[in-house]
């Protein structure tokens, strides 16, 4: 039953992606193309890989340091900090870019500080440095959040044993922490690499011009500017192949997750000198991560967020954002759990294990513009009006978009449960539903809460899918923000950005607690 | 009034004959760019104004850009809902013609207030403006007065422009430099490249960078300061007048051949050229009206720079060479 549902989901996702590409290909046949020289694919691949590789390594490194320090340190506001860490990833990239520029730009905070010292970093945030910086801020925080979750899941008995043995910081890291983290690194690393490899808005704004490009940008240009749909499909296939080269090893080589449990309440801080080092590292990194978000808040609140109440369409857009967010979070959770459960039952060496992991990533590998255009064409071919299809497409697309993140959070947990409790489940002869109710739900509630918050906020911040389906009558908050920006209404746009940030952080604080509370009631 | 009402009545008559099956006739759908259709754009006022004089309904459907609107109609083909595409401009009209979607509108033009003669049989003008670099008077005392001045500025001077393939001002700059420098355009782009902070996909991202103080000047319109003066009572933003002249952008609307009600569509294009309709455009779309609007032009526009000489390249030459000229500019930026 569980296997079947997993295979069904995997099959449906694969069929959907194939149908979208086919729709585009068919449409491409009916238009004369008058493309110029076309992009230099080898050059694009080299540039994108170097940029994405650098971004991934730096993101994992900063993510690790953040998680390591946060795991050991306790301070007031820690929950808020953890909540904010996750929000950067899911905010519309335009918002993060704006915050980044407000801090690192020519007229930004850093330069204002340096000005007193008589020096300046100028406009160095534009170009490759800016792209990598933005990616590390977005993805380093995501990596930190996932790793922190793993560290907190180390069972207290292990910690007690370690403390009794008097493990030093290095041996503690090697014996307790690294094995806990190992199962997440390939998945998280692959996800981050793909995100950076296919990065779009950040590369467009911070890239500095046509010199810095990704395949994703080239595909966008083929579709929107040259209207060469055939070329777009060809470039998309190149991107799919490259991404598969990343995904396949990452999913097959990842070591199995074994540790799993509820959040450890046991707190075992490091010795004083190490704790000091952690504090310094944490403060520096957090300043780097949170300053752009703070800048978004400051700019938005500065411009009277209350004015939004009167902005035409604000309430309607807000309501749409909320229900689309809730619907896509629910769908995303169902997909992630369905796939994760089926995969946990399949031996890691079997090809089926890979087959169940791949659909999770396809959405990352397929360019957003191709997907939204494909959805648009499919809706037309099935006779739906684009107006009627828009909400459905938005929910499906956003659920698929957040699937890799939800899966990265839930799959290791599901696998750990199966490997640790499999024998018990068989011995007790638990049925599927009671296995879920008695074992999985209490253990999974926390990561599920996080995955739900992630999916909800992802959808809340989406600006890619809505841009082809949004109209003046069907709008979400980010779309309203983008439109305001296009009509000299920078103040409104900044206020909406601040509001989105507040909503995201709130969701990350509230939703996981809600799930935990629900699970606790059943104890 | 009588003149514009007549086609409406004809349209009503023809519409009822033409399609009995569709009771929802006398309906127009206009594909346009988002800012035009937005609640704060010209769309709502034009809808109310036109519906008051014809027995019909009209809806604006927003795409992310005018090219996006054209692409959407192309993808939808014969069964597109659109009757009119509004928002292509003098630089992208050629794309429109090439799509083969448009038919001649058959309108008689009124006396137009355009910097050049207009007799296009397919596209009717809606409003117009001139491209210019906008700067902040509080940050820059003496703005460059010509393209030559621009590339003689200190090395840390930064401008922000838009991608010519995605944004009409971005394409406008390519044509502007071509109109001024002709064969020397590629060489000028080489000189300009170091001053370009970034090339954004759309106008809004670049204007935002400029307002945030990241760039000294942004490629926009001579009329951009009017927004700040009229809507924000802020006079610090000005357009830099270039002695070589400013490139003209005329926004146009055209009727799709697939429209079931071409007469009603024609009536709307005619309405767009009335003083009543033109009165809504300057302060919602921040462009110049093409005929003297009802109640005159807001005095806030008086302080706008004189773009003389207004530049405009021949439409056929533009259509034939756009891609090559963009490649030429990009070669310098890579």
């Amino acid at each position: 039953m569980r296997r079947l549902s997993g295979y069904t989901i995997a099959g449906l996702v694969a069929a959907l992606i194939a149908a979208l590409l086919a729709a585009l290909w068919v449409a491409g046949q009916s238009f004369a193309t008058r493309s110029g020289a076309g992009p230099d694919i080898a050059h694009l691949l080299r540039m994108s890989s170097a940029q994405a590789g650098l971004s991934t390594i730096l993101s994992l490194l900063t993510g690790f340091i953040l998680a390591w320090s946060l795991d050991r340190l306790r301070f007031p506001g820690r929950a808020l900090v953890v909540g904010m860490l996750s929000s950067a990833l899911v905010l519309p990239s335009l918002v993060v870019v704006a915050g980044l520029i407000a801090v690192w730009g020519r007229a930004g905070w850093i330069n204002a500080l340096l000005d007193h010292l008589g020096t300046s970093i100028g406009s160095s945030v534009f170009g490759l440095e800016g792209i990598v910086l933005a990616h590390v801020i977005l993805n380093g925080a995501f990596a930190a959040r996932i790793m922190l979750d793993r560290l907190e899941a180390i069972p207290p008995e292990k910690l007690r044993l370690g403390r009794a043995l008097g493990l030093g910081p290095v041996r503690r890291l090697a014996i307790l922490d690294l094995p806990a983290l190992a199962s997440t690194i390939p998945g998280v690393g692959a996800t981050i690499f793909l995100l950076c490899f296919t990065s779009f808005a950040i590369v467009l704004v911070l890239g500095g011009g046509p010199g810095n490009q990704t395949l994703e940008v080239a595909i966008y240009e083929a579709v929107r500017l040259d209207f060469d749909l055939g070329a777009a499909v060809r470039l998309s296939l190149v991107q799919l192949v490259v991404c598969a080269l990343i995904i396949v090893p990452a999913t097959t080589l990842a070591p199995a997750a074994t540790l799993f449990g509820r959040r450890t309440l046991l707190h075992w801080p490091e010795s004083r000198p190490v704790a000091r080092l952690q504090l310094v590292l944490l403060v520096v990194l957090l300043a780097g991560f949170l300053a752009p978000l703070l800048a978004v808040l400051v700019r938005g609140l500065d411009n009277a967020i209350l004015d939004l109440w009167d902005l035409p369409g604000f309430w309607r857009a807000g309501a749409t954002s909320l229900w689309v967010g809730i619907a896509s979070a629910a769908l995303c959770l169902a997909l992630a759990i369905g796939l994760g459960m089926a995969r946990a039952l399949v031996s890691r060496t079997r090809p089926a294990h890979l087959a169940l992991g791949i659909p999770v990533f396809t959405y990352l590998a397929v360019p957003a513009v191709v997907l939204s255009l494909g959805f648009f064409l499919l809706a037309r071919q099935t006779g739906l009006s684009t107006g009627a299809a828009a909400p459905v497409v938005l929910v499906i697309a956003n659920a698929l978009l957040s699937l890799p993140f939800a899966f990265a959070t839930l799959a290791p947990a599901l696998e750990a449960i199966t490997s640790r409790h499999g024998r018990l489940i068989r011995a007790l002869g638990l049925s599927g539903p009671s296995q879920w109710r008695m074992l999985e739900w209490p253990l999974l509630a926390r990561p599920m809460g996080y995955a739900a918050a992630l999916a909800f906020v992802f959808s809340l911040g989406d600006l890619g899918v809505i841009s082809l389906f949004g109209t003046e009558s069907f709008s979400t908050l980010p779309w309203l923000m983008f439109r305001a920006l296009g009509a000299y209404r920078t103040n409104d746009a900044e206020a909406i950005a601040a509001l989105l940030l507040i909503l995201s952080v709130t969701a990350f604080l509230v939703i996981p607690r809600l799930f935990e509370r629900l699970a606790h009631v059943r104890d | 009034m009588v003149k514009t009402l007549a086609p409406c009545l004809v349209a009503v008559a023809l519409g009822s004959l033409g399609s009995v099956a569709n009771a929802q006739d006398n309906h127009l759908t206009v594909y346009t760019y988002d800012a035009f259709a937005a609640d704060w754009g010209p769309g709502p006022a034009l809808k109310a104004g036109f519906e008051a004089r014809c027995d019909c309904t009209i809806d604006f459907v927003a795409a992310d850009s005018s090219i996006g609107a054209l692409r959407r109609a192309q993808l939808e083909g014969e069964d597109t809902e659109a009757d009119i595409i509004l928002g292509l401009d003098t630089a992208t009209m050629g794309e429109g013609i090439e799509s083969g979607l448009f038919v001649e509108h058959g309108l008689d033009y009124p006396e137009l207030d355009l910097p050049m003669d207009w007799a296009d049989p397919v596209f009717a003008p809606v409003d117009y403006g001139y491209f210019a670099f906008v700067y902040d008077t509080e940050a820059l005392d003496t703005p460059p007065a010509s393209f030559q001045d621009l590339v003689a500025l200190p090395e840390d001077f930064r401008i922000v422009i838009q991608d010519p393939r995605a944004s009409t001002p971005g394409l406008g700059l390519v044509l502007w430099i071509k109109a001024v420098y002709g064969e020397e355009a590629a060489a000028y782009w080489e000189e300009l490249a170091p001053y370009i902070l970034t090339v954004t996909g759309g106008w809004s991202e670049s204007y935002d960078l400029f307002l945030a103080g990241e760039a000294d000047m942004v490629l926009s319109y001579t009329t951009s300061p009017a927004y700040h003066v009229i809507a924000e009572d802020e006079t610090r933003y000005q357009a830099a007048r270039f002695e070589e002249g400013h490139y003209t952008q005329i926004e146009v609307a055209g009727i799709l051949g697939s429209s079931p009600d071409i007469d009603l569509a024609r009536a709307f294009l005619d309405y767009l050229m009335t003083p009543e309709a033109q009165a809504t455009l300057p302060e919602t779309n921040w462009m110049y009206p093409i005929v003297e609007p009802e109640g005159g032009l807001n005095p806030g526009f008086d302080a706008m720079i004189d773009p003389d000489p207004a530049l405009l390249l021949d439409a056929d030459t533009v259509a034939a060479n756009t891609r090559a000229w963009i490649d030429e500019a990009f070669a310098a930026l890579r």
Side-chain angles (χ1 to χ4, degrees), chain A residues 34 106 221 225-226 472, chain B residues 34 60 95 165 214 323:
Chain A
R34 45 168 205 140
R106 194 178 71 173
E221 287 170 349
L225 314 175
D226 299 331
E472 69 285 355
Chain B
D34 182 72
F60 291 92
E95 266 314 302
R165 297 163 304 175
E214 289 304 315
R323 174 132 298 273

Side-chain angles (χ1 to χ4, degrees), chain A residues 27 31 34-36 94 98 101 105-108 123 126 204-211 213 221 223-227 229 299 311-313 316 373 376-377 380 385-386 467 470-472 479-480 482-490 494, chain B residues 34-35 37-40 60-62 64-65 67-68 71-72 74-76 79-81 95 98 156 158 163 165-166 196-201 203-205 207-209 211-216 220 224 227-228 232 286 319 323 330 333-334:
Chain A
F31 296 103
R34 45 168 205 140
S35 159
L94 276 181
I101 291 170
R106 194 178 71 173
S123 295
F126 292 91
L204 266 188
V205 177
L206 290 179
Q213 274 201 336
E221 287 170 349
V223 171
R224 302 314 301 277
L225 314 175
D226 299 331
F227 207 47
L229 301 184
R299 290 218 306 182
L311 187 70
R316 212 173 39 199
L373 204 57
F376 178 83
L377 291 167
R380 288 201 62 81
S385 83
T386 26
S467 65
T471 61
E472 69 285 355
W479 183 234
L480 194 66
F482 187 69
R483 298 174 66 198
L485 207 54
Y488 293 97
R489 294 173 160 254
T490 315
E494 286 173 351
Chain B
D34 182 72
D39 290 323
W40 47 68
F60 291 92
V61 173
D64 56 352
S65 65
I67 279 285
R71 298 304 187 218
R72 180 164 168 179
Q74 275 181 286
L75 285 172
E76 291 169 346
D79 49 332
T80 179
E81 288 161 31
E95 266 314 302
E98 217 168 273
D156 61 348
R158 287 288 177 273
D163 192 318
R165 297 163 304 175
I196 297 172
L197 176 70
T198 192
V199 183
T200 63
W203 171 89
S204 43
E205 293 98 304
Y207 208 79
D208 195 41
L209 284 176
L211 289 181
E214 289 304 315
D216 301 286
S220 190
S224 296
Y227 169 80
H228 298 287
E232 297 179 338
W286 305 102
R323 174 132 298 273
F330 272 18
L333 299 180
R334 279 218 168 82

